[in-house]
C-alpha cells in the first residue's frame, strides 16, 4: 500500500492496544509517525519497533485529559512539522460502573478524554491539516457510539458525542481535500477493560471475558488502515456486535430485551 508513504501521521494513545498496532503497521509503509502517549518508556519502546521498519518517528508525552497538555503538544508538533496528513484520535478510556453510582468526576473525566480532547486537538491542528494536499481525520469511536450499553453510560455518551460532532463537521466541511473517518469497533482484545474506570474513578483492572474473546488489535488496526486509505466515512469492526447493531436499528424492543438479559463479563 502506497497511500501512507511519507505521510505525517499523528496517533494518540500509541503506547498500547489499537494505537500501538496502528503505529507498528503504518511504520512498515514508511510513514513519518508522530506518536503521543502518557508513558515515555512505552513510547520509546514503540518508537524503536517502528524505526526498525524504516519509519521516521517523533514521540511526545502528553496526558490528553489535561487541556493545557493538549495545547503544549500542539505547540511542539507545530514546531516540528509543517503539515499533518493523517490525524488518528485514538486515545480513550472506558467504564465499568452503573450510572447511578458513578461520580460526576468520573463522568467528566471520560468526556474530557474521549470527547473534548479529540475536538480540541483537531481544531488546534486544523491549520496543519489544511496544509496537507490530502488529509484524513480518523476518530476511534465504538459501537457504543451507536447504541447505549449497561455499565458504559459516560463512555457511550462520550462516543455518541464524538460521532455527532465529527459527523456534523464532515457535513459542513468545505475542504474537499479533508476526509473524515469514524471507526466503530466492537470488542477488541486490548487493555481497555483493564484501564476502564469504576464508579469511584479506580481502575477495573480485569481483562473481561468478552474482551478476551474480542478481535485481535492487529486485525482491527489493519481494517482501520484499509478503511482510511479507501476514504471510507464509517467503518464498523465487529463480530457478534453486528447482530446488536441490526436489532438496534430494525427491532429496537428485541435489542432492549436481549441486552438487559446479557451476562456482562
Ligand atoms: P488501550 O487501553 O489498550 O489503549 C488506550 C490508549 O489511550 C493507551 O495508549 C493509553 O495510554 C491512552 N490513554 C488513556 N488515557 C490517556 C490520557 N489521559 N492521555 C493520553 N493518552 C491516554 O485500549 P484500546 O482498546 O487500544 O483503545 C483505543 C481506542 O479504541 C479508545 O478510544 C477506545 O475507546 C476505542 N475502542 C476500543 C474497544 C475495545 O474493545 N478495545 C472497542 C471500541 C472502541
Amino acid at each position: 500500500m502506497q497511500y501512507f508513504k511519507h505521510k505525517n501521521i499523528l496517533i494518540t494513545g500509541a503506547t498500547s492496544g489499537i494505537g500501538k498496532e496502528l503505529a507498528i503497521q503504518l511504520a512498515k509503509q514508511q510513514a513519518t509517525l508522530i506518536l503521543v502517549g502518557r508513558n515515555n518508556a512505552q513510547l520509546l519502546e514503540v518508537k524503536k519497533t517502528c524505526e526498525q521498519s524504516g519509519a521516521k518517528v517523533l514521540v511526545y508525552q502528553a496526558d490528553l485529559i489535561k487541556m493545557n497538555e493538549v495545547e503544549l503538544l500542539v505547540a511542539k508538533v507545530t514546531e516540528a512539522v509543517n503539515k499533518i496528513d493523517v490525524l488518528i484520535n485514538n486515545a480513550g478510556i472506558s467504564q465499568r460502573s452503573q450510572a447511578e453510582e458513578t461520580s460526576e468526576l468520573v463522568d467528566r473525566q471520560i468526556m474530557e478524554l474521549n470527547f473534548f480532547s479529540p475536538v480540541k486537538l483537531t481544531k488546534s491542528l486544523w491549520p496543519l491539516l489544511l496544509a496537507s494536499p490530502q488529509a484524513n481525520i480518523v476518530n476511534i469511536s465504538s459501537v457504543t457510539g451507536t447504541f447505549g450499553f449497561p455499565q458504559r453510560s459516560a463512555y457511550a455518551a462520550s462516543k455518541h458525542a464524538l460521532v455527532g460532532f465529527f459527523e456534523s463537521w464532515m457535513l459542513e466541511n468545505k475542504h474537499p481535500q479533508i476526509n473524515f473517518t469514524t471507526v466503530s469497533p466492537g470488542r477488541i482484545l486490548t487493555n481497555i477493560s483493564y484501564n476502564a474506570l469504576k464508579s469511584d474513578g479506580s481502575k477495573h483492572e480485569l481483562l473481561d471475558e468478552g474482551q478476551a474473546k474480542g478481535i485481535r488489535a492487529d486485525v482491527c488496526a489493519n481494517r482501520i488502515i484499509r478503511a482510511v486509505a479507501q476514504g471510507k466515512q464509517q467503518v464498523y469492526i465487529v463480530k457478534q456486535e453486528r447482530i446488536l447493531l441490526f436489532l438496534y436499528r430494525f427491532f429496537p424492543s428485541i435489542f432492549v430485551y436481549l441486552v438487559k438479559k446479557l451476562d456482562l463479563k
Side-chain angles (χ1 to χ4, degrees), residues 226-237:
R226 281 190 286 136
V228 174
Q230 289 163 6
K232 291 208 170 141
Q233 269 163 15
Q234 258 210 45
V235 54
Y236 283 92
I237 301 172

Side-chain angles (χ1 to χ4, degrees), residues 214-228:
I215 295 171
R216 286 200 332 252
D218 60 321
V219 174
C220 175
N222 187 263
R223 295 271 311 276
I224 295 171
I225 289 169
R226 281 190 286 136
V228 174

Side-chain angles (χ1 to χ4, degrees), residues 132-149:
S132 165
Q134 188 183 25
N136 294 85
I137 296 167
V138 185
N139 289 297
I140 310 299
S141 175
S142 161
V143 288
T144 61
T146 300
F147 53 67
F149 204 74

Side-chain angles (χ1 to χ4, degrees), residues 21 44 74 85 94-95 108 117 131 151 164 202-203 254:
E21 281 300 330
L44 292 175
V74 169
D85 303 292
S94 190
Q95 175 188 14
R108 286 186 184 277
S117 153
Q151 311 233 355
S202 61
K203 282 188 181 183
I254 300 179

Side-chain angles (χ1 to χ4, degrees), residues 5-6 20-33 45-57:
K5 201 170 178 181
H6 303 316
K20 181 177 173 182
E21 281 300 330
L22 284 167
I24 291 170
Q25 293 185 30
L26 287 165
K28 293 179 184 146
Q29 303 193 28
Q30 276 116 52
T32 295
L33 298 174
E45 217 174 280
V46 180
K47 175 178 159 74
K48 197 169 149 198
T49 308
C50 292
E51 283 174 343
Q52 281 162 0
S53 300
K56 189 179 163 202
V57 186

Side-chain angles (χ1 to χ4, degrees), residues 66-101:
K66 299 180 180 152
M67 293 303 135
N68 63 325
E69 295 206 15
V70 176
E71 281 162 20
L72 253 167
L73 166 71
V74 169
K76 288 184 199 159
V77 170
T78 307
E79 234 178 76
V81 297
N82 55 13
K83 69 175 170 85
I84 290 184
D85 303 292
V86 184
L87 167 62
I88 308 182
N89 289 314
N90 166 73
I93 195 151
S94 190
Q95 175 188 14
R96 294 294 183 274
S97 60
Q98 304 278 113
E100 65 192 50
E101 290 163 6

Side-chain angles (χ1 to χ4, degrees), residues 13 15-16 18 63-64 90 141 155 159 186 188 190 192 195 211:
T15 52
S16 157
I18 298 169
D63 184 343
L64 300 175
N90 166 73
S141 175
Y155 182 68
K159 295 299 190 182
I188 310 298
T190 68
I192 192 94
N195 294 323
Q211 215 72 55

